Amino acid sequence: MKNRSTKIVTQIVEKEKVVEKQVVVTATPKPAPKLGAQLIGKLEGPEIITDPTQFPKSFKEAPILADLVKAGKLPTVEKRLPEPDSLLVIKPVHETGKYGGTWRRGFTGPADDQNGHRVAGGDRLLFWHSTKYPQMTPNLARAWKVTEDGRVITVNLRKGAKWSDGAPFTADDIMFWYEDVYKNKDLVPTPSADFSIAGKEGKITKIDDYTVEFRFPDPYPLFEEILGSSLPIFAGHAIHGSRTYGGGFAPKHYMKQFHPKYVSKEELDQKVKDAKIDNWVSLYRLRNNWSVNPGLPVMTPWKTTVAANTPTWVLERNPYYFGVDTDGNQLPYIDKIVMTLAENLEVLNLRAVAGEYDMQARHLDIAKIPLFLQSAEKAGYRFNIDPAQHGADGAFRVNLSYDKDPEIAKWLTNRDFRRALSLGIDRDQINEAIFLGIGTVGSAVVSEENPYNPGPQYRKLWSIYDPKQATDALDKLGLDKKDAEGFRLRTDGKGQLRIEIATIGAAFIQFTKIAEMVKEHWKKIGIQADVVEQERSLSTTRLEANETQIHVWQNDGSDETFLYPANQFPLAVGAATGPEFGKWYQSAGKQGKEPKDPQILKVMEIFRKAPGLPREERFKAGQEAWRIAIDEVWVIGTVGLSGAFMGIRVTSNKMGNVPSRHLNLQAGQTPNISRPATFYFKK
């Protein structure tokens, strides 16, 4: 193979533009990776029909439900559905499906409840459009209206919609959650920042049985997206019913029996005792847990019949689900979802390779792509990649509030030091070795197709491999003294400068292997790194205690910049880029540590104002925040846009109406965004 001229790029920033100084050298060209493009299908999805004149006039149901109706054990389908003009009508992506079948999946245990929610949940008031990000669509709400000043959102619920036990779903279920759960200090000790604007809390008012009003003292246009997001406060009863904020609504008729406002202390104490738990709060959350309580009424297409704390989590169709297809068939098409416990991720992946799952994306390993492709025809499945819009599937998140070792803290908070570390990483090698060449190398900036992206030049900013520039920068910083092994010495005279990189084992991506490769890259610029792999809960505990120096994860969710800042910006409690700064920001200065860096303070000010801005202005504000974050290198990106997080997918050839490419979005809880209730088995 002949050599050809290539370019080494030295990067500087002039007026927020990347300027490249080119020096011509010779190098062996690398073949352009083609695998990823071949495996990424066309972005497509079902359509929500909102014009009542196009709604079906007659209805059909699954044979298993028709048999129950004949036996007198279930009302007719017309009586189970909402009123004719309040239906959720979904036009499937490809065709009208067929009823029946069991969807086989794998999961990793009770803590993996989001695995079930991503396919069988999605019970929030609004939802994201399946292909037109960031457009919102109806869901549990049939309609909504935002006032011109952005202070009030009026939500209209579906008249006649019912819980899975047949009880009406009304505004009272939202008000019960708001007045008796969210405002109860035992259940929710600290209000959610997402229900406030400029530090002023919102209020919910019942207008009538099917209308509620969300009112804020200041404009809060972002709240419309919060109502459709996976944030804890309004993400829906299924995923967050047992968590801190409760998800935005709850079945009052069922859950009030576990609440001290509605039952006597003696009765509640007996229930706590019978359940063998500590207190009524724990009892409430246990009974409001969609994945472990089969008796809990739900608004999801399927409901739990065998709990997730068993080796086999089983969900069966909800006979009262409020959605139909355009031909009037009540959804879902598939009768049952069965998730089988996998002892570890290797077992789960090998089962997927063998074709034992009908559609699986969660927990699949990008490194197994050759096996998936090799086995696809024999095992009877198709293999696809659904790229996400977040920019770093291997993100080195620098703790800007670290203070346990003053010398290390001095360098982690030094912008030129972070830039040097970034320039010292051979991203092409990581892409080939870990991501099989299908990812995009560069910074942690969101996808160029994302409205928050500040410009294509920010993909390369401080992220082109240039060990000489990195070495020169470290020397100029005063780190020019080295030991006999060539590693740089601390400036306080206490020996070798060592940076700890914390990783999590058994995660979605091979973070430890990525970190070990970066460790070798940094040796060439004289930086000693220690890679420490930890169990996930321990790693999270250390992170929140401000003990980590650099933490490796992905910056998932950063595609929706103002909804999920924790993996990119030092703005959230537990943010890896500065947990103490996140506490300070979220508590309005009452906790944590105030940042001194003017750029961090500038981004905090952007985030304070942005939720109150109209969408187009919010996009511009987000772009400014990203310009700062990438230039400051708070997160060192390596490879992104690969689909490695939730986007490595196998789908049985027997399953229909599965898009060839999902919109892989944290807020959309993919594949929920593609409406799994419309998936079906062809045979």
Side-chain angles (χ1 to χ4, degrees):
M1 184 180 290
K2 294 182 179 180
N3 289 349
R4 64 176 174 81
S5 294
T6 58
K7 299 170 184 176
I8 292 178
V9 182
T10 300
Q11 304 164 50
I12 59 176
V13 177
E14 293 179 358
K15 296 181 180 180
E16 298 179 341
K17 294 182 179 179
V18 181
V19 179
E20 300 179 348
K21 295 181 179 179
Q22 301 170 355
V23 182
V24 177
V25 296
T26 59
T28 302
K30 294 182 179 180
K34 300 179 181 179
L35 181 62
Q38 296 171 357
L39 299 173
I40 298 171
K42 175 186 176 182
L43 181 62
E44 56 184 359
E47 180 184 353
I48 306 300
I49 306 299
T50 57
D51 181 359
T53 64
Q54 298 181 35
F55 285 9
K57 305 303 180 185
S58 60
F59 306 100
K60 296 177 282 293
E61 60 197 341
I64 190 173
L65 298 182
D67 290 343
L68 292 173
V69 172
K70 289 179 182 178
K73 298 180 180 179
L74 199 65
T76 61
V77 63
E78 291 81 6
K79 293 181 179 179
R80 301 197 309 270
L81 289 170
E83 294 182 9
D85 61 351
S86 280
L87 292 162
L88 172 67
V89 181
I90 307 176
K91 181 181 180 181
V93 64
H94 295 145
E95 68 246 337
T96 299
K98 299 177 182 179
Y99 283 120
T102 297
W103 178 353
R104 301 168 301 162
R105 289 178 59 82
F107 81 124
T108 61
D112 194 19
D113 60 340
Q114 192 175 118
N115 198 333
H117 180 266
R118 279 181 172 267
V119 296
D123 57 339
R124 57 193 74 164
L125 294 175
L126 309 183
F127 215 84
W128 298 87
H129 194 285
S130 60
T131 60
K132 298 176 182 178
Y133 173 81
Q135 185 174 317
M136 309 300 294
T137 65
N139 199 45
L140 267 174
R142 62 181 177 87
W144 71 98
K145 182 179 180 181
V146 184
T147 56
E148 190 172 338
D149 63 6
R151 287 182 168 87
V152 181
I153 298 182
T154 303
V155 172
N156 305 113
L157 305 177
R158 299 187 183 279
K159 294 182 180 180
K162 299 172 182 64
W163 291 91
S164 57
D165 61 357
F169 172 78
T170 70
D172 289 338
D173 297 306
I174 294 175
M175 298 310 297
F176 167 74
W177 167 83
Y178 176 57
E179 295 172 345
D180 299 328
V181 178
Y182 182 72
K183 285 187 166 294
N184 185 287
K185 295 300 182 182
D186 293 326
L187 286 168
V188 183
T190 305
S192 169
D194 297 313
F195 197 45
S196 297
I197 180 70
K200 304 171 187 176
E201 194 169 42
K203 181 181 179 181
I204 305 177
T205 302
K206 175 183 173 181
I207 305 302
D208 58 40
D209 285 347
Y210 296 102
T211 310
V212 293
E213 180 185 272
F214 298 86
R215 181 178 292 273
F216 297 91
D218 290 320
Y220 196 6
L222 182 66
F223 189 70
E224 179 182 4
E225 295 180 13
I226 288 175
L227 286 178
S229 77
S230 58
L231 288 169
I233 184 166
F234 292 110
H237 173 243
I239 190 172
H240 282 293
S242 63
R243 293 179 168 89
T244 303
Y245 297 124
F249 61 92
K252 178 180 180 179
H253 69 284
Y254 177 84
M255 288 306 303
K256 66 182 182 180
Q257 65 180 305
F258 308 112
H259 196 291
K261 178 178 176 181
Y262 298 93
V263 296
S264 67
K265 184 178 184 303
E266 294 74 20
E267 182 180 350
L268 194 56
D269 286 347
Q270 186 61 49
K271 289 181 178 180
V272 169
K273 182 179 179 181
D274 292 343
K276 299 179 181 179
I277 52 180
D278 296 335
N279 51 59
W280 80 268
V281 171
S282 297
L283 175 68
Y284 182 92
R285 289 182 176 152
L286 178 65
R287 295 294 181 256
N288 205 33
N289 189 327
W290 170 79
S291 66
V292 300
N293 180 13
L296 178 68
V298 297
M299 295 299 294
T300 51
W302 295 270
K303 69 180 300 292
T304 293
T305 55
V306 179
N309 53 6
T310 67
T312 305
W313 181 8
V314 180
L315 302 107
E316 298 184 15
R317 66 166 61 252
N318 172 5
Y320 290 91
Y321 185 60
F322 54 90
V324 299
D325 68 15
T326 43
D327 288 338
N329 297 295
Q330 186 187 27
L331 299 171
Y333 293 131
I334 294 174
D335 285 332
K336 186 184 299 186
I337 300 174
V338 173
M339 288 188 281
T340 306
L341 180 67
E343 294 82 356
N344 53 56
L345 295 186
E346 181 69 11
V347 168
L348 189 149
N349 274 266
L350 291 178
R351 287 175 180 170
V353 167
E356 295 181 21
Y357 302 139
D358 295 304
M359 205 278 273
Q360 183 88 17
R362 189 172 172 86
H363 300 307
L364 296 193
D365 185 354
I366 194 170
K368 294 286 194 301
I369 285 181
L371 275 176
F372 286 125
L373 294 176
Q374 181 181 345
S375 304
E377 183 176 356
K378 181 179 179 181
Y381 60 76
R382 53 196 183 272
F383 181 84
N384 293 96
I385 296 175
D386 304 314
Q389 292 190 8
H390 63 262
D393 292 318
F396 286 65
R397 307 181 295 174
V398 182
N399 183 0
L400 306 171
S401 66
Y402 179 76
D403 56 9
K404 302 299 186 272
D405 182 331
E407 173 77 6
I408 299 299
K410 177 175 73 172
W411 297 117
L412 294 181
T413 55
N414 186 296
R415 177 179 63 184
D416 292 326
F417 181 80
R418 298 192 299 269
R419 289 173 174 175
L421 292 184
S422 184
L423 292 169
I425 296 176
D426 185 348
R427 292 167 172 81
D428 287 327
Q429 186 187 70
I430 295 172
N431 192 21
E432 294 297 326
I434 304 296
F435 297 92
L436 306 183
I438 69 173
T440 299
V441 300
S443 72
V445 72
V446 289
S447 166
E448 281 72 10
E449 65 188 34
N450 188 283
Y452 291 109
N453 183 281
Q457 67 270 33
Y458 284 85
R459 181 69 54 202
K460 294 182 178 180
L461 182 60
W462 308 116
S463 59
I464 293 177
Y465 186 43
D466 193 337
K468 184 181 185 306
Q469 186 181 354
T471 298
D472 291 345
L474 293 171
D475 288 344
K476 289 178 182 178
L477 285 171
L479 288 168
D480 52 340
K481 295 181 176 60
K482 301 179 181 179
D483 62 14
E485 297 179 87
F487 290 113
R488 298 177 188 274
L489 298 175
R490 296 165 63 107
T491 58
D492 60 2
K494 295 182 180 179
Q496 197 180 75
L497 181 69
R498 305 178 75 97
I499 304 294
E500 183 182 284
I501 304 175
T503 67
I504 295 174
F508 297 95
I509 298 169
Q510 299 177 54
F511 296 123
T512 300
K513 289 184 179 180
I514 295 173
E516 292 288 356
M517 292 183 72
V518 169
K519 174 181 178 178
E520 294 302 312
H521 300 161
W522 284 350
K523 279 185 181 180
K524 298 176 183 178
I525 61 173
I527 295 294
Q528 173 66 58
D530 299 318
V531 179
V532 180
E533 182 179 280
Q534 300 164 338
E535 185 271 329
R536 186 168 181 174
S537 61
L538 173 61
S539 180
T540 300
T541 299
R542 288 196 64 217
L543 188 156
E544 292 176 349
N546 202 39
E547 295 175 0
T548 60
Q549 297 175 12
I550 296 178
H551 190 274
V552 186
W553 192 247
Q554 63 268 323
N555 65 341
D556 60 299
S558 61
D559 39 34
E560 230 313 337
T561 299
F562 293 111
L563 291 182
Y564 310 97
N567 284 328
Q568 179 65 41
F569 303 94
L571 298 165
V573 176
T577 49
E580 289 300 301
F581 296 159
K583 288 180 185 177
W584 182 84
Y585 175 77
Q586 294 292 340
S587 67
K590 297 176 182 177
Q591 301 174 22
K593 182 168 64 175
E594 180 180 3
K596 305 301 180 185
D597 188 330
Q599 294 294 70
I600 295 177
L601 292 170
K602 183 176 181 180
V603 166
M604 285 181 170
E605 187 60 24
I606 289 173
F607 271 77
R608 285 191 186 98
K609 293 180 178 179
L613 298 175
R615 177 169 284 180
E616 293 302 320
E617 292 182 41
R618 194 161 67 244
F619 290 158
K620 292 179 181 179
Q623 291 164 10
E624 175 63 13
W626 275 106
R627 289 188 190 99
I628 295 170
I630 299 305
D631 190 31
E632 294 290 317
V633 197
W634 294 335
V635 173
I636 302 172
T638 57
V639 179
L641 314 179
S642 70
F645 182 67
M646 303 288 189
I648 306 301
R649 172 164 56 92
V650 295
T651 307
S652 168
N653 292 331
K654 298 177 182 179
M655 186 175 275
N657 280 342
V658 180
S660 57
R661 177 187 172 189
H662 298 295
L663 180 58
N664 191 348
L665 188 69
Q666 173 69 19
Q669 292 285 282
T670 307
N672 258 335
I673 200 167
S674 298
R675 305 286 179 166
T678 62
F679 299 171
Y680 77 100
F681 287 104
K682 299 176 182 178
K683 296 183 180 179

